Amino acid sequence: MSDTQQPATRARINSVARAMNILTAIARSETGLSVREIAETIGVERQTAYHLVHTLADMGFIARDERRNYRLGLKTGVLAEAFQRQFSAPDHLRPLVRSLAATTGETCYAVGWWQGEIVTLDVARGTNAVRAAEVPHGQYEHAHARAAGKVLLAFAPGLRAREYLAGKPLVALTPSTLTDLGALQSEFETIRTNGYAIDNEEFALGVCCMAVPLEAGTAPFAIALSAPAERFRECKHEYLQALKALVAQ
């Protein structure tokens, strides 16, 4: 490469990045944030935060409540609706997820690869009175501790699993979480042999999950079921049979 041929770099506009950080911080807050809290959260001077907050408020992306805290505004609903519409499972996956939830009464979901990340594509709430919490659409964190994540990593082609794990710390979420890469690789071998994966309270205490790949792992998707740990252990065989029957279709 000559002196005149410099590698391309992406321009970063700080004001845009800060505005996005404000929206993210408010979205993660249960009760909204004051300007002071926003400034502290995103690491800017309060005066800078005021300018950004007023711009976002004028555009309708945030709004101030009776406590003078800022919450998400009506304009974010457009983004949320578009996200649900554009970032969703392929049509053939939705009936599978809903069928499994109806058959088992448990919360079920579809997970897949998207731009090098593992994401939740579709969720169906269980009908049992006591059930596992729903998995949010989009970002799917700590795949090493979750059944569907382990399925996708176990069957990932080429170096995809290694590249994914290289950028993700193996965090110990519970005493059962696998945090040793060698042990995790051994589990991947077991998953490929058995054709399914289990999260035995590895992601959250009191909750177990089971997942199977679609098309024997050649498709970039997995179907998963989540249930309270005690009921999961009692019904594990029935859940596995339901999953296998579903993907056989």
Side-chain angles (χ1 to χ4, degrees):
M1 179 181 295
S2 68
D3 293 339
T4 58
Q5 292 177 308
Q6 298 298 324
T9 59
R10 293 183 179 180
R12 178 183 175 89
I13 301 175
N14 286 335
S15 59
V16 175
R18 288 168 175 171
M20 294 300 100
N21 287 339
I22 289 174
L23 290 175
T24 302
I26 292 174
R28 289 174 174 168
S29 170
E30 293 290 335
T31 59
L33 297 173
S34 67
V35 174
R36 177 183 60 80
E37 291 170 328
I38 289 171
E40 293 174 353
T41 301
I42 70 170
V44 299
E45 296 293 331
R46 191 177 302 186
Q47 191 63 33
T48 301
Y50 270 116
H51 291 310
L52 293 167
V53 162
H54 290 162
T55 300
L56 289 170
D58 287 344
M59 297 180 68
F61 285 102
I62 61 176
R64 194 163 61 177
D65 62 17
E66 65 279 1
R67 298 173 56 210
R68 302 180 68 83
N69 282 351
Y70 283 91
R71 297 171 177 265
L72 295 180
L74 294 177
K75 260 303 181 50
T76 57
V78 177
L79 300 179
E81 189 278 331
F83 178 80
Q84 293 284 358
R85 184 179 67 251
Q86 298 175 15
F87 191 79
S88 60
D91 290 340
H92 70 281
L93 283 185
R94 295 193 193 95
L96 297 180
V97 177
R98 280 149 184 72
S99 175
L100 184 64
T103 298
T104 63
E106 305 294 0
T107 298
C108 301
Y109 46 97
V111 175
W113 287 101
W114 187 77
Q115 295 186 357
E117 293 291 333
I118 295 175
V119 296
T120 305
L121 296 168
D122 195 50
V123 182
R125 180 182 299 179
T127 56
N128 290 324
V130 179
R131 57 183 180 268
E134 290 186 41
V135 178
H137 280 80
Q139 191 171 14
Y140 184 87
E141 296 180 331
H142 307 301
H144 68 287
R146 308 173 75 169
K150 289 191 287 185
V151 161
L152 293 180
L153 290 170
F155 286 94
L159 299 175
R160 176 180 283 183
R162 184 178 299 178
E163 292 171 351
Y164 177 90
L165 291 171
K168 305 286 191 302
L170 302 182
V171 179
L173 302 171
T174 76
S176 300
T177 308
L178 291 178
T179 58
D180 178 75
L181 185 58
L184 193 61
Q185 295 288 356
S186 295
E187 179 153 351
F188 291 163
E189 294 179 9
T190 301
I191 291 169
R192 288 190 289 268
T193 299
N194 294 337
Y196 67 92
I198 287 179
D199 154 17
N200 188 17
E201 296 188 78
E202 297 163 48
F203 180 71
L205 292 175
V207 178
C208 292
C209 301
M210 178 182 291
V212 295
L214 291 186
E215 300 178 22
T218 60
F221 307 111
I223 301 291
L225 171 153
S226 183
E230 185 175 349
R231 188 165 67 229
F232 180 90
R233 295 185 178 105
E234 292 176 355
C235 304
K236 176 182 173 182
H237 178 73
E238 289 82 356
Y239 292 159
L240 180 58
Q241 293 308 308
L243 277 163
K244 286 184 174 181
L246 189 74
V247 298
Q249 299 176 20

